[in-house]
Amino acid sequence: VAQQAPTPPAGGDLESALLALLNTPVKGASKREQRLIESPQAIEVIGRLQIQQMGAARLQDVLRQATSVNLLELEPQNAYAGIRGNLVEGYPKNIQVLIDGVPFYNNVRGAVDLDSLPIPIALIETIEIVRGPSSPLYRAGAVGGVIAISTRRSVEASGSLQAGAGEARRRLSADLTQQVGRLHYAFGFDAGSSGDSGFPTRALGDVNPFFRPTPEQSEQQREDATHQHRALFRVDATFGTARFTLSA
């Protein structure tokens, strides 16, 4: 059966969409706000609307869809992001991760565990992925690139509550943002769990320098059920051009 080809977007609409993309504000490549077309490095921007359309429940689920981002998942609750396959001793140890400009690079271990970041996915406004060396701005931990996460801010009260359940899976998330005078409040929470898959799992390999299973541990079957929760509370105070932030 012949099918009619989809109608291409009108020239004006396509041009407007392209201009909006090129004018996307970014900060990751130079630590100052500029348009995407002015960025000195290649940057991919993932916005809140895209994250909602993905239906992603975890940060690594979002990054998995990004260009040139590689995920190393050793355990159900341990995920590390690399860029362009750049690994050091089997780990992406040269990627800097920022949340509202605060670095989370681990000087001892090197790689940043995405599951340990205190950022509920409902509070993420944008994710900027800078592909390429950024050490002059973000020190030695950013040789391979930067993943800069910005949280949501809104003048009017805004919030959401989501819950889902399925076979052996449950998820709950909530967020609230509001500005009162010079103070801006943001709160986010998410929790999730998944039951054991029923497949036999064993501790393998010696990639992780902090965990080398003994032969006895390698032979022991383990459950892969997971339970996670995280919360973030942030208060911003603005005085002229200065802004003070308290996060917990």
Side-chain angles (χ1 to χ4, degrees), residues 37-57:
I37 194 174
E38 299 170 339
S39 172
Q41 288 185 283
I43 297 184
E44 180 176 356
V45 181
I46 301 176
R48 179 161 58 101
L49 180 59
Q50 291 174 272
I51 296 174
Q52 292 174 345
Q53 292 173 341
M54 291 178 189

Side-chain angles (χ1 to χ4, degrees), residues 42-184:
I43 297 184
E44 180 176 356
V45 181
I46 301 176
R48 179 161 58 101
L49 180 59
Q50 291 174 272
I51 296 174
Q52 292 174 345
Q53 292 173 341
M54 291 178 189
R58 304 176 302 166
L59 177 59
Q60 52 264 43
D61 297 332
V62 178
L63 295 177
R64 187 176 285 110
Q65 308 300 320
T67 304
S68 301
V69 174
N70 318 106
L71 287 176
L72 175 63
E73 297 186 78
L74 301 180
E75 299 282 343
Q77 292 181 322
N78 296 105
Y80 306 88
I83 295 178
R84 293 175 173 170
N86 197 337
L87 302 177
V88 178
E89 297 178 350
Y91 267 77
K93 294 184 178 182
N94 49 17
I95 304 299
Q96 178 64 273
V97 178
L98 308 170
I99 298 179
D100 288 332
V102 179
F104 280 80
Y105 183 79
N106 188 323
N107 289 320
V108 176
R109 193 168 187 174
V112 179
D113 184 359
L114 301 179
D115 279 304
S116 68
L117 296 177
I119 178 67
I121 197 161
L123 275 187
I124 296 177
E125 181 66 25
T126 60
I127 301 175
E128 295 182 23
I129 302 169
V130 183
R131 297 189 288 272
S134 302
S135 295
L137 290 176
Y138 300 105
R139 297 184 295 182
V143 172
V146 176
I147 298 174
I149 302 171
S150 299
T151 56
R152 186 156 55 91
R153 290 175 170 83
S154 60
V155 176
E156 299 180 354
S158 173
S160 66
L161 175 65
Q162 300 180 4
E167 184 178 357
R169 291 180 178 269
R170 294 171 294 278
R171 181 171 178 260
L172 174 67
S173 66
D175 65 281
L176 175 65
T177 60
Q178 184 177 11
Q179 181 173 341
V180 180
R182 294 182 176 181
L183 298 179
H184 181 277

